[in-house]
């Protein structure tokens, strides 16, 4: 197999990825619209917005790694659509362990980050409880969807590298925000004693389920051991992104269209980066490219593809966000300004993401690690923080 097996194949793959991203863009705007609709809740529950970017990021990272690993196993001939054993089952067990562990860590990290930046937040126990419940519920939904996508891709011969990242990250946006909001409102409405008892119960049940998953097989333990420290470390970046948005919360609440822009902007940039990471990981597993310092021509074409996705989809995303704001009765700075904000921030972010995606894949593969475990988590976390900083900077520059 060669990378240059006809332009027709690459065009078909580009079209597949574009259609997946197009659907993801529309759905992600719905998620942003919901975030804008609960802006009063964000203002009434101090620190809730701090949890939004890292929680969404962990859903996308964990399920993105799951999808990327399953895609590589298809290319290597190891995949079988059977949840009772084999590659699929062990990856699911590993994903559940990662979901529980990162959700617990996020609650504490969010409290520490808010304290460090002088932001008022609800108690640490509440943050942990909200993070764990919302993380497990949304995680199970997104993991189930990832399995569905993988099985359908396997049976219909579709290249999962081109559709998994957009599908998974978009569903993560769509599911995580309402689950997080409903969980937060429900938890904070309970008496303190009930909250503490519920926290203890949730942690015990999660611990039992985690031990069961840990004992399931060596591959699950290997995946968790390799990726958990990375995810916990990267969750700090997502939390700081949440802090960045929280510090500009007054502007985001008053101009609702900007709040709508946050989930689709991070989601689409993450999906584009996820496609790049998945393809690079698959190519390295197949020996089609090596971990050289200088990217090959084929890798360069993937960078160009990422820019094309960005320049086509982000103006559309901005237009949809502007239209959604008008329908919701929220304030918008105007269509052209929204497009300028999205495209300007997107080009900057993707320029850095292209380089980081290739370096991450190359370095991890060179030192004997699976690039599927590192590419998507690194990229989505970088986009969370970098996207927040760049997006807020461009907003302040243009408004």
């Amino acid at each position: 197999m060669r990378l240059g097996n006809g332009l027709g194949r690459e065009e078909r793959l580009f079209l597949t990825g574009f259609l997946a991203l197009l659907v993801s863009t529309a759905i992600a705007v719905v998620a942003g619209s919901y975030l804008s609709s609960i802006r009063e809740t964000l203002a009434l529950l101090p620190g809730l917005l701090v949890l939004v970017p890292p929680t969404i990021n962990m859903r996308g990272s964990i399920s993105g790694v799951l999808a990327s690993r399953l895609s590589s196993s298809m290319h290597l001939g190891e995949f079988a659509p059977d949840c009772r054993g084999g590659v699929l089952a062990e990856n699911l067990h590993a994903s559940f362990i990662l979901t529980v562990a990162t959700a617990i860590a996020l609650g504490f990290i969010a409290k520490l980050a808010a304290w460090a930046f002088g932001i008022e937040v609800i108690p640490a126990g509440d943050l942990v409880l909200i993070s764990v419940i919302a993380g497990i519920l949304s995680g199970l939904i997104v993991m189930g969807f990832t399995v569905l996508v993988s099985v359908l891709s396997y049976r219909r011969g579709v290249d999962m590298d081109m559709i998994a990242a957009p599908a998974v990250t978009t569903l993560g946006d769509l599911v995580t925000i309402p689950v997080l909001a409903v969980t937060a409102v429900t938890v904070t409405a309970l008496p303190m004693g009930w909250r503490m008892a519920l926290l203890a119960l949730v942690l015990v049940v999660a611990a039992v389920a985690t031990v069961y998953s840990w004992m399931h097989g060596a591959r699950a333990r290997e995946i968790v051991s390799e990726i958990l420290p990375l995810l916990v470390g990267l969750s700090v970046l997502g939390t700081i992104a949440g802090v960045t948005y929280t510090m500009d919360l007054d502007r985001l609440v008053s101009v609702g269209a900007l709040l709508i822009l946050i989930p689709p902007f991070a989601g689409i940039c993450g999906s584009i980066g996820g496609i790049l990471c998945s393809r690079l990981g698959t190519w390295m597993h197949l020996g089609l490219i090596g971990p050289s310092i200088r990217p090959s021509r084929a890798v360069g074409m993937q960078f160009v593809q990422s820019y094309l996705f960005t320049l086509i989809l982000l103006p559309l995303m901005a237009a949809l966000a502007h239209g959604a704001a008008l329908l919701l009765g929220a304030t918008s700075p105007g269509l052209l300004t929204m497009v300028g904000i999205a495209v300007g921030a997107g080009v900057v972010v993707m320029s850095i993401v292209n380089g980081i995606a290739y370096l991450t894949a190359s370095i991890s593969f060179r030192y004997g690690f699976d690039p599927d475990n590192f590419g998507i988590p690194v990229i989505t976390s970088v986009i969370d923080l970098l996207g927040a900083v760049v997006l807020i900077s461009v907003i302040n520059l243009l408004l």
Side-chain angles (χ1 to χ4, degrees):
M1 179 180 178
R2 298 180 56 196
L3 292 177
N5 278 349
L7 184 60
R9 180 177 182 276
E10 285 301 311
E11 288 176 336
R12 288 194 298 273
L13 289 174
F14 178 86
L15 181 60
T16 300
F18 175 75
L19 291 175
L21 288 167
L22 189 63
V23 174
S24 297
T25 300
I27 296 175
V29 171
V30 174
S33 300
Y34 181 83
L35 183 64
S36 180
S37 72
I38 61 167
R39 52 188 180 273
E40 293 182 1
T41 302
L42 295 174
L44 291 174
L45 292 178
L48 181 59
L49 187 57
V50 175
L51 270 179
V52 172
T55 303
I56 292 176
N57 174 48
M58 286 301 104
R59 295 291 70 71
S61 293
I62 294 170
S63 293
V65 167
L66 172 63
S68 186
R69 289 180 66 89
L70 294 179
S71 179
S72 293
S73 71
M74 290 180 195
H75 286 283
L76 295 170
E78 300 174 349
F79 181 85
D82 186 357
C83 293
R84 293 171 296 179
V87 172
L88 181 55
E90 293 205 332
N91 274 276
L92 285 174
H93 283 280
S95 296
F96 179 78
I97 297 171
L98 293 171
T99 296
V100 174
T102 55
I104 294 172
L106 268 180
F108 291 107
I109 292 171
K111 180 67 176 181
L112 290 174
W115 172 80
F117 286 89
I119 296 174
E120 181 186 359
V121 293
I122 56 181
D126 291 346
L127 282 174
V128 172
L129 182 57
I130 292 169
S131 180
V132 172
I133 294 177
I136 292 175
L137 291 177
S138 58
L140 290 175
I141 294 172
V142 179
M143 279 190 287
F145 179 75
T146 305
V147 172
L148 177 62
V149 171
S150 66
V151 172
L152 290 177
S153 298
Y154 175 77
R155 290 178 175 171
R156 299 191 179 186
V158 177
D159 190 336
M160 195 171 165
D161 285 336
M162 300 303 296
I163 63 172
V168 167
T169 54
T170 301
L171 185 67
D173 290 351
L174 191 63
V175 170
T176 302
I177 295 175
V179 169
L180 187 63
V182 171
T183 302
V185 171
T186 303
V187 166
T188 53
L190 296 174
M192 177 60 71
W194 288 23
R195 278 182 269 171
M196 292 299 98
L198 182 59
L199 176 60
L201 177 62
V202 167
L203 291 178
V204 169
V205 172
V208 172
T210 299
V211 170
Y212 171 79
S213 293
W214 181 263
M215 298 298 293
H216 183 79
R219 188 180 304 217
R221 293 193 292 272
E222 178 186 348
I223 296 170
V224 172
S225 299
E226 187 170 300
I227 197 175
L228 181 58
L230 175 70
L231 289 177
V232 173
L234 291 176
S235 64
V236 176
L237 299 182
T239 303
I240 296 175
V243 168
T244 302
Y245 289 128
T246 301
M247 294 176 71
D248 212 32
L249 182 59
D250 291 341
R251 182 196 293 269
L252 295 175
V253 169
S254 62
V255 185
L258 300 179
L259 206 55
I260 294 175
L261 206 59
I262 291 175
F265 179 80
I268 295 305
C269 289
S271 294
I272 296 171
I275 288 175
L276 175 61
C277 290
S278 293
R279 298 207 77 188
L280 292 178
T282 296
W283 287 356
M284 288 185 179
H285 279 301
L286 295 175
L288 299 176
I289 61 173
S292 60
I293 296 176
R294 184 176 180 178
S296 65
R297 181 176 178 276
V299 174
M301 291 302 296
Q302 292 303 304
F303 293 164
V304 173
Q305 184 181 94
S306 296
Y307 280 119
L308 286 175
F309 284 145
T310 301
L311 293 175
I312 294 171
L313 291 169
L314 287 187
L316 174 61
M317 178 200 72
L320 291 174
H322 172 72
L326 296 181
L327 288 175
L328 292 172
T331 305
S332 172
L335 177 59
L336 291 180
T337 302
M338 289 285 284
V339 171
I341 291 171
V343 175
V347 170
V348 173
V349 170
M350 290 311 302
S351 297
I352 299 173
V353 164
N354 279 339
I356 293 177
Y358 181 72
L359 285 176
T360 302
S362 296
I363 292 173
S364 59
F365 191 80
R366 180 182 292 274
Y367 287 97
F369 296 105
D370 189 341
D372 289 328
N373 286 344
F374 289 86
I376 290 178
V378 170
I379 286 301
T380 53
S381 297
V382 167
I383 287 175
D384 272 352
L385 180 56
L386 180 65
V389 172
V390 173
L391 191 60
I392 293 299
S393 298
V394 173
I395 288 172
N396 290 330
L397 180 65
L398 296 182
L399 294 184

